[in-house]
Amino acid sequence: MALPGHISIIMDGNGRWATQRGLPRAAGHREGVRTLRGIVEHCVCLGVGTLSVFAFSSENWDRPQDEVGLLLDLFMHALNEQVEALHRHGVSLRFVGDLAGFPASLRQTLHAAEQRTAANTALQLLVAANYGGRWDLVQACRKLAHQARAGGLDPGQIDEELFAANLSLAGVPPPDLFIRTGGEQRISNYLLWDLAYSELYFTEVPWPEFTPAQLDDALQWYASRERRFGGLAGVAGQIRES
Ligand code: IPE
Ligand code: IPE
Ligand code: MG
């Protein structure tokens, strides 16, 4: 069965899951952390190379202040609690997004977790936090513009490869399989560039209920897809002349 090298997930539906049970939304977020732990372990067992997850979007600041505060606290506590276990499982952590927007204490925790797990190779776990796909495109443009103004770059040299090298996921193969839990069928300003040829899988299952077995269902669905990348089925790609 063809296994995706990179799985990317919008972990959605925590709040609705909790509300439906008469619980505060916070309970859904806490349960969501547990779910992520199980999915990470499953990805390690399966031998998936990269898992990326959307933890907090650049638009999630628009939520009530107490929910934002809770999400940031939970993020920090979950990391402090779980980084050693992740390390033992051989997981390397990388955080992508506008991390400068977070309080210094959280930034420090993120940095320490990255440093602690940097040499691990079993699974690369990318966590998108204060991330927005539009922000990512703009920050790449800004970096290239600075290089051009400094004289180190001729704008004519900017091609897709150079542009991608300035995005948050530089050096990471693009997601093969994208999963969104929680029933919505939209990208919500996630990886706008990187998802160009990902297979898109949407499930009604809210994130707190998403199990390794449900990930297996998604993987089975993925294995049945025919990826053509704009070419034709079963025909080897031609080298395009530019
Ligand atoms: C996803 O669940 C977690 C974050 C966005 C941080 P939601 O909080 O969006 O849950 P719903 O979509 O309201 O159910
Ligand atoms: C996307 O979910 C962001 C994360 C899961 C972190 P949202 O719940 O914020 O997205 P919308 O508002 O339904 O589009
Ligand atoms: Mg949501």
Side-chain angles (χ1 to χ4, degrees):
M1 191 169 98
L3 192 69
H6 181 175
I7 300 174
S8 195
I9 308 181
I10 296 187
M11 309 180 290
D12 194 29
N14 293 351
R16 281 165 287 156
W17 176 86
T19 305
Q20 274 160 16
R21 276 158 190 74
L23 299 168
R25 289 175 60 86
H29 296 311
R30 275 193 213 99
E31 202 54 40
V33 171
R34 254 193 289 277
T35 298
L36 179 57
R37 182 65 204 281
I39 294 299
V40 168
E41 279 176 25
H42 195 51
C43 285
V44 172
C45 289
L46 290 168
V48 171
T50 303
L51 172 67
S52 51
V53 295
F54 205 3
F56 189 85
S57 80
S58 46
E59 287 74 45
N60 287 149
W61 297 106
D62 294 339
R63 296 187 179 198
Q65 221 183 335
D66 58 347
E67 178 158 344
V68 170
L70 177 117
L71 284 168
L72 300 191
D73 277 358
L74 193 60
F75 193 20
M76 185 140 124
H77 282 112
L79 263 178
N80 283 329
E81 215 174 78
Q82 303 202 2
V83 75
E84 281 311 310
L86 291 170
H87 182 55
R88 279 198 304 279
H89 281 88
V91 176
S92 83
L93 276 159
R94 181 165 141 194
F95 300 95
V96 296
D98 190 4
L99 304 182
F102 287 136
S105 53
L106 178 55
R107 284 205 313 269
Q108 240 160 28
T109 300
L110 302 184
H111 184 65
E114 284 184 341
Q115 300 274 87
R116 178 81 178 117
T117 61
N120 295 336
T121 55
L123 172 74
Q124 179 175 41
L125 175 59
L126 300 166
V127 181
N130 197 14
Y131 179 88
R134 290 175 178 171
W135 165 84
D136 202 358
L137 296 173
V138 168
Q139 68 79 31
C141 290
R142 199 180 295 133
K143 274 196 262 176
L144 291 166
H146 278 301
Q147 285 173 37
R149 191 174 62 179
L153 174 69
D154 169 1
Q157 286 172 262
I158 300 174
D159 57 11
E160 292 185 11
E161 197 183 338
L162 182 62
F163 193 81
N166 284 276
L167 288 167
S168 294
L169 264 52
V172 179
D176 300 294
L177 171 62
F178 162 89
I179 298 171
R180 181 170 186 151
T181 63
E184 308 295 1
Q185 302 198 0
R186 54 183 173 241
I187 300 295
S188 297
N189 197 19
Y190 192 36
L191 302 165
L192 295 179
W193 172 282
D194 314 79
L195 292 173
Y197 268 108
S198 307
E199 298 295 326
L200 308 179
Y201 182 88
F202 298 96
T203 171
E204 292 291 324
V205 176
W207 180 247
E209 282 181 8
F210 192 73
T211 59
Q214 272 144 359
L215 177 58
D216 289 341
D217 289 346
L219 291 172
Q220 207 148 37
W221 172 85
Y222 172 81
S224 74
R225 306 304 304 160
E226 179 183 76
R227 304 186 74 189
R228 292 188 291 275
F229 298 97
L232 292 182
V235 179
Q238 306 268 317
I239 295 169
R240 271 190 290 162
E241 293 183 28
S242 48

mmCIF file of all heavy atoms in Angstrom, residues 52-70:
data_model
loop_
_atom_site.group_PDB
_atom_site.id
_atom_site.type_symbol
_atom_site.label_atom_id
_atom_site.label_comp_id
_atom_site.label_asym_id
_atom_site.label_seq_id
_atom_site.Cartn_x
_atom_site.Cartn_y
_atom_site.Cartn_z
ATOM 1 N N SER A 52 2.516 17.082 9.647
ATOM 2 C CA SER A 52 2.366 18.487 10.009
ATOM 3 C C SER A 52 0.940 18.711 10.481
ATOM 4 O O SER A 52 0.001 18.098 9.967
ATOM 5 C CB SER A 52 2.716 19.409 8.834
ATOM 6 O OG SER A 52 2.022 19.033 7.674
ATOM 7 N N VAL A 53 0.781 19.558 11.474
ATOM 8 C CA VAL A 53 -0.544 19.807 12.048
ATOM 9 C C VAL A 53 -0.755 21.308 12.246
ATOM 10 O O VAL A 53 0.177 22.042 12.546
ATOM 11 C CB VAL A 53 -0.724 19.074 13.401
ATOM 12 C CG1 VAL A 53 -0.695 17.566 13.217
ATOM 13 C CG2 VAL A 53 0.303 19.506 14.434
ATOM 14 N N PHE A 54 -2.018 21.708 12.058
ATOM 15 C CA PHE A 54 -2.387 23.109 12.249
ATOM 16 C C PHE A 54 -2.891 23.242 13.688
ATOM 17 O O PHE A 54 -3.946 22.701 14.043
ATOM 18 C CB PHE A 54 -3.499 23.469 11.264
ATOM 19 C CG PHE A 54 -3.592 24.931 10.905
ATOM 20 C CD1 PHE A 54 -2.688 25.863 11.393
ATOM 21 C CD2 PHE A 54 -4.581 25.372 10.027
ATOM 22 C CE1 PHE A 54 -2.786 27.211 11.029
ATOM 23 C CE2 PHE A 54 -4.680 26.702 9.659
ATOM 24 C CZ PHE A 54 -3.784 27.631 10.162
ATOM 25 N N ALA A 55 -2.115 23.924 14.523
ATOM 26 C CA ALA A 55 -2.470 24.021 15.940
ATOM 27 C C ALA A 55 -3.161 25.336 16.282
ATOM 28 O O ALA A 55 -4.032 25.389 17.142
ATOM 29 C CB ALA A 55 -1.214 23.876 16.797
ATOM 30 N N PHE A 56 -2.747 26.411 15.599
ATOM 31 C CA PHE A 56 -3.307 27.732 15.923
ATOM 32 C C PHE A 56 -3.102 28.627 14.713
ATOM 33 O O PHE A 56 -1.976 28.822 14.260
ATOM 34 C CB PHE A 56 -2.577 28.307 17.147
ATOM 35 C CG PHE A 56 -3.200 29.562 17.701
ATOM 36 C CD1 PHE A 56 -4.257 29.488 18.598
ATOM 37 C CD2 PHE A 56 -2.735 30.812 17.321
ATOM 38 C CE1 PHE A 56 -4.836 30.650 19.107
ATOM 39 C CE2 PHE A 56 -3.312 31.971 17.824
ATOM 40 C CZ PHE A 56 -4.370 31.887 18.724
ATOM 41 N N SER A 57 -4.188 29.147 14.175
ATOM 42 C CA SER A 57 -4.061 29.936 12.947
ATOM 43 C C SER A 57 -3.882 31.415 13.270
ATOM 44 O O SER A 57 -4.202 31.872 14.377
ATOM 45 C CB SER A 57 -5.302 29.753 12.058
ATOM 46 O OG SER A 57 -6.361 30.566 12.505
ATOM 47 N N SER A 58 -3.406 32.152 12.274
ATOM 48 C CA SER A 58 -3.215 33.595 12.467
ATOM 49 C C SER A 58 -4.556 34.287 12.702
ATOM 50 O O SER A 58 -4.596 35.416 13.195
ATOM 51 C CB SER A 58 -2.483 34.201 11.262
ATOM 52 O OG SER A 58 -3.035 33.751 10.047
ATOM 53 N N GLU A 59 -5.658 33.609 12.373
ATOM 54 C CA GLU A 59 -6.993 34.183 12.601
ATOM 55 C C GLU A 59 -7.600 33.749 13.942
ATOM 56 O O GLU A 59 -8.625 34.286 14.364
ATOM 57 C CB GLU A 59 -7.953 33.788 11.466
ATOM 58 C CG GLU A 59 -7.712 34.501 10.152
ATOM 59 C CD GLU A 59 -6.470 34.001 9.421
ATOM 60 O OE1 GLU A 59 -6.271 32.781 9.329
ATOM 61 O OE2 GLU A 59 -5.668 34.829 8.964
ATOM 62 N N ASN A 60 -6.990 32.742 14.571
ATOM 63 C CA ASN A 60 -7.562 32.257 15.831
ATOM 64 C C ASN A 60 -7.443 33.273 16.965
ATOM 65 O O ASN A 60 -8.116 33.137 18.001
ATOM 66 C CB ASN A 60 -6.951 30.908 16.244
ATOM 67 C CG ASN A 60 -7.415 29.731 15.394
ATOM 68 O OD1 ASN A 60 -6.676 28.767 15.189
ATOM 69 N ND2 ASN A 60 -8.643 29.788 14.890
ATOM 70 N N TRP A 61 -6.632 34.334 16.776
ATOM 71 C CA TRP A 61 -6.585 35.425 17.768
ATOM 72 C C TRP A 61 -7.935 36.114 17.877
ATOM 73 O O TRP A 61 -8.213 36.795 18.870
ATOM 74 C CB TRP A 61 -5.545 36.481 17.369
ATOM 75 C CG TRP A 61 -4.131 35.992 17.328
ATOM 76 C CD1 TRP A 61 -3.402 35.741 16.200
ATOM 77 C CD2 TRP A 61 -3.267 35.713 18.434
ATOM 78 N NE1 TRP A 61 -2.129 35.311 16.545
ATOM 79 C CE2 TRP A 61 -2.023 35.289 17.911
ATOM 80 C CE3 TRP A 61 -3.416 35.768 19.826
ATOM 81 C CZ2 TRP A 61 -0.939 34.931 18.721
ATOM 82 C CZ3 TRP A 61 -2.335 35.411 20.625
ATOM 83 C CH2 TRP A 61 -1.116 35.001 20.081
ATOM 84 N N ASP A 62 -8.780 35.962 16.860
ATOM 85 C CA ASP A 62 -10.100 36.616 16.871
ATOM 86 C C ASP A 62 -11.087 35.940 17.820
ATOM 87 O O ASP A 62 -12.217 36.404 17.976
ATOM 88 C CB ASP A 62 -10.710 36.617 15.455
ATOM 89 C CG ASP A 62 -9.895 37.477 14.500
ATOM 90 O OD1 ASP A 62 -9.155 38.350 14.991
ATOM 91 O OD2 ASP A 62 -9.990 37.261 13.269
ATOM 92 N N ARG A 63 -10.714 34.853 18.421
ATOM 93 C CA ARG A 63 -11.611 34.181 19.381
ATOM 94 C C ARG A 63 -11.608 34.946 20.712
ATOM 95 O O ARG A 63 -10.710 35.752 20.959
ATOM 96 C CB ARG A 63 -11.139 32.747 19.596
ATOM 97 C CG ARG A 63 -11.239 31.951 18.304
ATOM 98 C CD ARG A 63 -10.941 30.495 18.523
ATOM 99 N NE ARG A 63 -11.076 29.785 17.250
ATOM 100 C CZ ARG A 63 -11.210 28.487 17.135
ATOM 101 N NH1 ARG A 63 -11.210 27.728 18.211
ATOM 102 N NH2 ARG A 63 -11.348 27.929 15.935
ATOM 103 N N PRO A 64 -12.597 34.649 21.575
ATOM 104 C CA PRO A 64 -12.614 35.333 22.873
ATOM 105 C C PRO A 64 -11.274 35.144 23.584
ATOM 106 O O PRO A 64 -10.644 34.098 23.466
ATOM 107 C CB PRO A 64 -13.737 34.618 23.627
ATOM 108 C CG PRO A 64 -14.589 34.000 22.580
ATOM 109 C CD PRO A 64 -13.715 33.711 21.401
ATOM 110 N N GLN A 65 -10.905 36.177 24.311
ATOM 111 C CA GLN A 65 -9.581 36.197 24.957
ATOM 112 C C GLN A 65 -9.329 34.983 25.861
ATOM 113 O O GLN A 65 -8.209 34.475 25.925
ATOM 114 C CB GLN A 65 -9.481 37.467 25.790
ATOM 115 C CG GLN A 65 -8.137 38.130 25.697
ATOM 116 C CD GLN A 65 -8.078 39.349 26.610
ATOM 117 O OE1 GLN A 65 -9.103 39.952 26.931
ATOM 118 N NE2 GLN A 65 -6.896 39.692 27.048
ATOM 119 N N ASP A 66 -10.382 34.537 26.547
ATOM 120 C CA ASP A 66 -10.136 33.403 27.465
ATOM 121 C C ASP A 66 -9.826 32.127 26.691
ATOM 122 O O ASP A 66 -9.025 31.307 27.130
ATOM 123 C CB ASP A 66 -11.278 33.222 28.485
ATOM 124 C CG ASP A 66 -12.626 32.995 27.826
ATOM 125 O OD1 ASP A 66 -12.733 33.214 26.602
ATOM 126 O OD2 ASP A 66 -13.560 32.575 28.537
ATOM 127 N N GLU A 67 -10.452 31.957 25.512
ATOM 128 C CA GLU A 67 -10.140 30.751 24.730
ATOM 129 C C GLU A 67 -8.720 30.831 24.171
ATOM 130 O O GLU A 67 -7.981 29.842 24.180
ATOM 131 C CB GLU A 67 -11.153 30.539 23.594
ATOM 132 C CG GLU A 67 -10.798 29.316 22.751
ATOM 133 C CD GLU A 67 -11.935 28.699 21.953
ATOM 134 O OE1 GLU A 67 -13.110 29.004 22.237
ATOM 135 O OE2 GLU A 67 -11.642 27.911 21.040
ATOM 136 N N VAL A 68 -8.325 32.025 23.697
ATOM 137 C CA VAL A 68 -6.963 32.191 23.171
ATOM 138 C C VAL A 68 -5.958 31.895 24.283
ATOM 139 O O VAL A 68 -4.995 31.136 24.096
ATOM 140 C CB VAL A 68 -6.751 33.615 22.608
ATOM 141 C CG1 VAL A 68 -5.290 33.859 22.290
ATOM 142 C CG2 VAL A 68 -7.610 33.823 21.358
ATOM 143 N N GLY A 69 -6.207 32.472 25.460
ATOM 144 C CA GLY A 69 -5.306 32.258 26.601
ATOM 145 C C GLY A 69 -5.203 30.783 26.943
ATOM 146 O O GLY A 69 -4.106 30.252 27.169
ATOM 147 N N LEU A 70 -6.340 30.113 26.935
ATOM 148 C CA LEU A 70 -6.341 28.688 27.257
ATOM 149 C C LEU A 70 -5.547 27.887 26.218
ATOM 150 O O LEU A 70 -4.776 26.985 26.560
ATOM 151 C CB LEU A 70 -7.780 28.179 27.300
ATOM 152 C CG LEU A 70 -7.838 26.688 27.552
ATOM 153 C CD1 LEU A 70 -8.525 26.395 28.861
ATOM 154 C CD2 LEU A 70 -8.452 25.928 26.414
#
